[in-house]
Amino acid sequence: LSLSVDPANQRIDGQNTIRYRVVQPLRRMQIDLFANMSVTRITQNGKPLGYTRDGNAIFVTFTDPQPVGQVREVTVTYGGQ
């Protein structure tokens, strides 16, 4: 987790790397982020991932297989007030 806080402008910018173990085959993952925070990008292994948003829920679509038993990481870059 990396954060930059700008109190004068009431703004937060951040980057969060989420590490997870794949326990079943998956093509999508849900990540929660308050709606007032905009996603700048989501990546895995340096490659951009597609996503959709529904309120506080972000649904990330993986481009590479997520083999069961593997430990993977997704990095979410975001910001807002």
Side-chain angles (χ1 to χ4, degrees), residues 56-74:
N56 291 338
I58 299 166
F59 299 95
V60 180
T61 303
F62 294 107
T63 54
D64 292 335
Q66 305 292 298
V68 172
Q70 293 282 316
V71 174
R72 298 292 176 134
E73 292 183 348
V74 170

Side-chain angles (χ1 to χ4, degrees), residues 1-3 13-21 29-33 41-47 49 60 62 71-78:
L1 178 63
S2 171
L3 288 176
D13 290 291
Q15 187 175 63
N16 188 6
T17 299
I18 301 164
R19 181 174 292 151
Y20 60 95
R21 180 177 305 279
M29 171 191 283
Q30 179 179 334
I31 299 170
D32 294 336
L33 182 68
R41 70 177 175 251
I42 301 176
T43 60
Q44 184 172 59
N45 299 324
K47 298 180 195 174
L49 297 175
V60 180
F62 294 107
V71 174
R72 298 292 176 134
E73 292 183 348
V74 170
T75 300
V76 181
T77 305
Y78 60 92

